[in-house]
């Protein structure tokens, strides 16, 4: 469902150009559980932003479900993000003044779902991440783990074809991090496609495939034992 | 409908943002409030002025022609002015006799004089010399008694008809009929009292007057025998023909040879009305330009605050775009916020302008009509939207990744 051919991303920085990604070739199929690893600055986030249609490649072709994303305009990209992508960030990125329910509803609002239906779907999704009783809490009234769950619920609420998570446990202690990863494992077992960026081996072990980036290139692409831990 | 969703979500977000920054929103509104108040007061004054003028003018009647020495709206050079002959009572009688298209003809001469009754006196009373048809021509009606009779006019009798204000002043408890007023040293018996007419722009009070036989007027009150001749047109659709007939009659009376210009003027209310409209449009334009300036300053204030608001919420914008908000959605959201500040300011301004207008009314015929209020609200919404446009555009066009990274 995801195909990258010779994808590069260059950030112009004054006189110099920063090559964040260099000629990446990559295929990811429906139902895969992929971890992306690599040292800081190796291009993990840049790759995730491309996959999440938050940004477009400088050169090369990125096809998502057969659509060449590079040819889409601003509105079409927004619609793809809304329908096809669920994004979980390291810093949660919840709206601080809105409660959990409204944060989860947000993608549905932009999808044009009517209010009553929207509310029900959002509540169900919140219940799915174990936060049925936190619907009216604002982010600052929740723990880090709970905030990330709200963010996961928001990512899931539109039933996207891919769930992307950029260091989702980066701001959590290891116990809470493992809880979030358990949630991801569960989501994968339910049939979702997951791509998780991390620099922790123990987190990456949850996935079935590990990509390692180095200096904007894919250094290795390894499939794990399908029986897999844990 | 996506637009509906954009609007409701935009409203909800804007409302939250405004409430979260109450002081800032309030101060921004202040600029709009001042702007809208000035615009509203301006509009109220102009509407009031127009209304007062029109009601005054209609009480004078649009079907009356004024044969006078000078035109109302043309400028004449001195040689023309100097050579003009007076219009006399004889002219008035001749016109009445010769005109076929006039319904009634009345002579009129006016001056201000003090009037006394017993020990009481009033100054600045309008003394009007009139004829038997003055009531008909001027659309005057009588509350009690009767109007001047043809016999009293011809005989130059010392009788008078008085206005409602004067009647109230001198005779608060009794009927004025049969009593005698003293004008310019002569006694005039009151034979009638006029219905209340009202004021003209708060300057002239038509009820503060006395009508005496014009024949008497020229022996007792004024020596210079120049009058205006008021002609009531029988058929409004024959206005032009009536004017032509009048011109012909007066030229004949004065023996003006063909080819020579008139040395008199035939004036009509309608021209008065026209030039008043021009004047009031000029006042309105100038007024709105000046008051528009204060609104502009208010708009700049909104723009400023919206830029701050957009900068503060860069990350929020990033989040919204990441989950599928289009550029237009973000744009709408910030436009609504700007419009909301401005509209709220406009509503407050109208609320404040209302009592001010009520106070103004003591000196000036101002009035806030629904159209003026609607205009003020419309203008404030427009101000908000126009000043929000640039900041909102900037918000909508932000790069999503950069916005998300913003601290
Ligand atoms: N918006 C940007 N402008 C300029 N350089 C950037 C930008 N985003 C990332 N980079 C650069 O691209 C490289 C890859 O960054 P990133 O993808 O964030 O790495 P990682 O997530 O693996 O730490 C880094 O050198 C970084 O400085
Ligand atoms: Mg990163």
């Amino acid at each position: 469902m995801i195909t990258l051919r010779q994808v590069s991303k260059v950030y112009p920085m004054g006189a110099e150009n920063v090559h964040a990604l260099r000629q990446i070739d990559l295929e990811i199929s429906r139902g895969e559980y992929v971890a992306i690893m690599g040292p800081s600055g190796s291009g993990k986030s840049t790759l995730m932003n491309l996959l999440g249609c938050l940004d477009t490649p400088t050169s090369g072709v990125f096809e998502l479900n057969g659509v060449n994303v590079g040819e889409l305009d601003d509105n079409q990209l927004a619609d793809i993000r809304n329908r096809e992508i669920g994004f979980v960030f390291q810093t949660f990125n919840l709206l601080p003044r809105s409660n959990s329910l409204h944060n989860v509803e947000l993608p549905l609002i932009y999808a044009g779902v009517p209010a009553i239906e929207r509310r029900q779907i959002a509540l169900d999704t919140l219940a799915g991440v174990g936060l049925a009783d936190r619907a009216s809490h604002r982010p600052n009234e929740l723990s880090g783990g709970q905030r990330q769950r709200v963010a996961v619920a928001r990512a899931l609420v539109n039933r996207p074809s891919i769930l992307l998570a950029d260091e989702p446990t980066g701001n959590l202690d290891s116990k809470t991090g493992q809880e979030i990863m358990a949630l991801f494992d569960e989501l994968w077992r339910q049939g979702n496609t997951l791509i998780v960026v991390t620099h922790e081996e123990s987190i990456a072990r949850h996935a079935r495939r590990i990509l390692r980036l180095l200096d904007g290139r894919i250094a290795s692409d390894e499939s794990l034992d399908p029986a897999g831990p844990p | 409908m996506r637009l509906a969703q954009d609007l409701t979500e935009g409203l909800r977000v804007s409302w939250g943002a405004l409430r979260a920054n109450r002081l800032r929103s309030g101060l921004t509104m202040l600029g709009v409030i001042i702007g809208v108040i000035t615009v509203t007061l301006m509009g109220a004054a102009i509407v009031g002025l127009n209304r007062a003028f029109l009601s005054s003018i209609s009480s004078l009647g649009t079907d009356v022609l004024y044969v006078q020495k000078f035109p109302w709206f043309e400028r004449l050079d001195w040689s023309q002015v100097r050579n003009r002959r007076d219009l006399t009572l004889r002219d008035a009688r001749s016109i009445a006799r010769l005109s076929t298209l006039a319904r009634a003809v009345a002579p009129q001469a006016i001056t201000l004089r003090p009037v006394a009754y017993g020990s009481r006196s009033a100054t600045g009373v309008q003394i009007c010399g009139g004829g038997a048809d003055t009531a008909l021509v001027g659309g005057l009606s009588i509350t009690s008694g009767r109007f001047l009779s043809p016999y009293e006019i011809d005989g130059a009798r010392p009788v008078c008809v008085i206005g409602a204000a004067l009647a109230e002043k001198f005779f608060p408890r009794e009927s004025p009929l049969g009593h005698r007023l003293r004008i310019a040293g002569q006694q005039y018996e009151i034979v009638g009292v006029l219905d209340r007419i009202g004021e003209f722009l708060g300057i002239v009070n038509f009820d503060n007057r006395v009508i005496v036989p014009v024949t008497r007027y020229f022996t007792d009150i004024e020596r210079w025998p120049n009058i205006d001749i008021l002609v009531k047109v029988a058929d409004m659709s024959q206005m032009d023909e009536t004017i032509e007939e009048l011109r012909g009659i007066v030229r004949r009376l004065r023996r003006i040879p063909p080819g020579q210009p008139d040395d008199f003027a035939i004036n009509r209310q309608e021209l008065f009305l026209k030039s008043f409209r021009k004047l009031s449009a000029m006042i309105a334009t100038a007024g709105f330009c000046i008051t528009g300036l204060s609104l502009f300053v208010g708009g700049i204030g909104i723009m400023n605050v919206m830029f701050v608001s957009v900068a503060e919420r860069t990350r929020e914008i990033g989040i919204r775009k990441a989950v599928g908000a289009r550029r237009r959605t973000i744009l709408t959201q910030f436009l609504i916020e700007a419009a909301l500040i401005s509209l709220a300011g406009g509503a407050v301004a109208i609320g404040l302008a209302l009592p001010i207008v009520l106070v103004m009314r003591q000196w000036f015929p101002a009035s806030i009509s629904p159209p003026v209020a609607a205009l003020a609200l419309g203008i404030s919404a427009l101000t908000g939207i126009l000043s929000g446009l640039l900041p909102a555009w900037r918000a909508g066009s932000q790069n999503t990744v950069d916005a998300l990274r913003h601290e």
Side-chain angles (χ1 to χ4, degrees):
Chain A
M1 71 182 335
I2 291 173
T3 310
L4 272 69
R5 282 197 299 273
Q6 294 291 300
V7 165
S8 297
K9 182 72 187 178
V10 181
Y11 294 109
M13 287 290 277
E16 272 179 64
N17 285 337
V18 179
H19 292 262
L21 294 176
R22 300 165 195 265
Q23 286 104 43
I24 300 273
D25 285 303
L26 178 65
E27 295 256 353
I28 296 174
S29 322
R30 190 174 295 278
E32 278 200 79
Y33 192 172
V34 182
I36 300 177
M37 299 195 69
S40 183
S42 59
K44 304 184 294 295
S45 295
T46 304
L47 179 57
M48 286 299 261
N49 291 340
L50 289 184
L51 295 179
C53 298
L54 295 170
D55 214 343
T56 46
T58 312
S59 64
V61 175
F62 166 33
E63 279 182 12
L64 177 66
N65 297 325
V67 177
N68 186 350
V69 172
E71 289 173 350
L72 301 181
D73 67 19
D74 213 63
N75 286 339
Q76 289 168 321
L77 282 176
D79 291 348
I80 295 245
R81 288 197 292 271
N82 186 250
R83 282 197 316 266
E84 307 290 345
I85 313 283
F87 215 120
V88 177
F89 303 89
Q90 175 176 356
T91 51
F92 317 134
N93 277 336
L94 299 173
L95 297 180
R97 277 199 303 266
S98 301
N99 62 24
S100 310
L101 178 65
H102 187 245
N103 266 295
V104 176
E105 273 185 309
L106 207 57
L108 296 171
I109 291 174
Y110 296 133
V113 179
I116 299 167
E117 201 182 327
R118 181 166 90 204
R119 193 184 154 84
Q120 196 51 55
I121 298 173
L123 282 172
D124 289 348
T125 313
L126 266 178
V129 299
L131 288 179
D133 55 345
R134 294 287 187 276
S136 55
H137 289 56
R138 291 186 182 194
N140 62 2
E141 297 161 342
L142 299 171
S143 71
Q146 287 171 328
R147 283 183 218 183
Q148 198 58 299
R149 281 168 190 273
V150 173
V152 172
R154 180 181 64 191
L156 288 172
V157 77
N158 259 0
R159 313 215 144 276
S161 50
I162 328 164
L163 194 62
L164 302 171
D166 190 352
E167 309 219 21
T169 61
N171 277 14
L172 303 175
D173 60 56
S174 58
K175 182 172 164 287
T176 323
Q178 287 302 334
E179 282 170 19
I180 291 292
M181 289 317 293
L183 177 61
F184 280 176
D185 294 346
E186 173 62 26
L187 291 171
W188 174 64
R189 271 192 290 275
Q190 288 167 8
N192 290 289
T193 309
L194 264 71
I195 304 174
V196 181
V197 166
T198 181
H199 54 252
E200 287 177 64
E201 205 67 37
S202 63
I203 299 291
R205 290 277 138 207
H206 286 259
R208 293 299 177 274
R209 178 180 173 189
I210 298 181
L211 285 174
R212 289 178 205 274
L213 287 187
L214 197 60
D215 228 1
R217 290 182 219 277
I218 296 179
S220 73
D221 182 352
E222 135 196 35
S223 282
L224 299 183
D225 173 13
Chain B
M1 258 306 278
R2 249 196 139 149
L3 186 63
Q5 305 270 349
D6 281 2
L7 288 179
T8 49
E9 173 69 4
L11 260 177
R12 175 196 166 120
V13 174
S14 310
W15 183 245
L18 294 185
R19 276 173 38 123
N21 298 298
R22 281 198 194 88
L23 183 64
R24 194 169 81 190
S25 314
L27 288 176
T28 312
M29 255 180 240
L30 207 59
V32 184
I33 291 174
I34 292 169
V36 175
I37 282 187
T38 53
V39 169
T40 309
L41 291 184
M42 189 72 215
I46 288 168
V47 168
L49 200 65
N50 274 321
R51 191 177 295 168
F53 187 87
L54 288 180
S55 74
S56 302
I57 203 107
S58 68
S59 76
L60 297 179
T62 50
D63 58 347
V64 177
L65 298 170
Y66 292 73
V67 184
Q68 286 170 311
K69 234 167 138 172
F70 302 112
W72 288 345
F73 303 105
E74 268 166 68
R75 236 175 245 277
L76 300 174
D77 26 284
W78 174 239
S79 63
Q80 284 176 290
V81 173
R82 202 182 39 188
N83 293 333
R84 294 228 150 163
R85 285 170 280 179
D86 291 324
L87 286 156
T88 63
L89 279 175
R90 278 239 322 264
D91 294 334
R93 282 190 208 109
S94 304
I95 290 171
R97 197 177 64 243
L98 296 172
S99 173
T100 55
L101 297 172
R103 170 137 180 251
V105 177
Q108 177 175 285
I110 292 176
T111 186
L112 295 181
R113 287 280 187 280
V115 169
Y117 170 70
S119 59
R120 276 179 251 190
S121 70
T123 53
V125 178
Q126 195 193 82
I127 312 295
C128 173
D133 277 343
T134 290
L136 176 60
V137 172
L140 304 172
S141 41
I142 294 287
T143 305
S144 63
R146 59 175 176 78
F147 201 72
L148 307 173
S149 71
Y151 159 77
E152 284 162 345
I153 305 290
D154 291 343
R157 302 296 305 152
V159 290
C160 67
V161 172
I162 64 174
L166 214 57
E168 239 159 60
K169 186 178 168 86
F170 286 154
F171 308 98
R173 274 179 291 277
E174 52 190 326
S175 165
L177 300 180
H179 293 280
R180 284 167 199 280
L181 286 188
R182 200 168 62 250
I183 309 167
Q186 304 283 325
Q187 300 282 342
Y188 287 78
E189 184 187 337
I190 300 169
V191 298
V193 179
L194 295 171
D195 271 348
R196 180 170 297 282
I197 296 172
E199 296 183 358
F200 179 70
L201 302 183
I203 304 163
V204 185
N205 185 346
F206 287 120
D207 299 318
N208 191 29
R209 71 165 155 189
V210 178
I211 303 176
V212 301
V214 68
T215 42
R216 187 84 195 178
Y217 180 93
F218 282 120
T219 58
D220 288 357
I221 296 164
E222 187 72 69
R223 297 281 168 193
W224 191 277
N226 181 48
I227 58 168
D228 298 336
I229 301 169
L230 277 56
V231 177
K232 192 180 181 74
V233 178
D235 181 354
M236 279 295 271
S237 66
Q238 291 200 301
M239 183 61 107
D240 293 339
E241 291 85 340
T242 314
I243 292 174
E244 272 319 298
E245 189 196 53
L246 269 176
R247 270 191 70 208
I249 292 172
V250 180
R251 285 179 70 94
R252 221 169 336 129
L253 289 173
R254 303 191 151 199
R255 299 199 167 76
I256 301 173
Q260 287 289 314
D262 296 346
D263 65 349
F264 60 93
I266 298 175
N267 292 313
R268 348 173 8 187
Q269 296 290 358
E270 213 173 280
L271 298 176
F272 199 16
L273 211 67
K274 230 182 249 167
S275 77
F276 170 78
R277 289 223 173 92
K278 217 169 10 184
L279 183 73
S280 100
M282 257 165 56
I283 295 175
T285 314
F288 280 118
C289 283
I290 295 164
T291 52
L293 210 65
S294 62
L295 207 60
F296 181 74
V297 174
I300 297 282
I302 293 184
M303 194 184 287
N304 218 335
V305 156
M306 289 312 296
F307 272 127
V308 173
S309 182
V310 168
E312 274 179 358
R313 282 147 71 195
T314 303
R315 198 178 179 116
E316 175 189 324
I317 295 166
I319 295 172
R320 289 177 184 277
K321 293 190 86 168
V323 301
R326 290 179 172 197
R327 178 196 302 244
R328 191 194 67 197
T329 309
I330 302 293
L331 190 92
T332 312
Q333 176 189 321
F334 282 94
L335 277 187
I336 288 178
E337 186 170 325
L340 217 57
I341 295 182
S342 195
L343 259 180
V348 171
I350 290 174
L352 291 176
L354 272 170
I356 298 181
V357 166
L358 287 183
V359 172
M360 262 166 80
R361 267 206 194 147
Q362 301 191 330
W363 305 282
F364 196 81
S367 107
I368 290 197
S369 55
V372 168
L375 185 76
L377 280 181
I379 287 175
S380 48
L382 196 71
T383 307
I385 288 172
L386 284 182
S387 21
L389 218 48
L390 208 58
W393 179 257
R394 183 175 286 185
S397 316
Q398 290 213 19
N399 177 290
T400 313
V401 177
D402 292 343
L404 278 170
R405 215 190 294 222
H406 196 267
E407 281 312 313

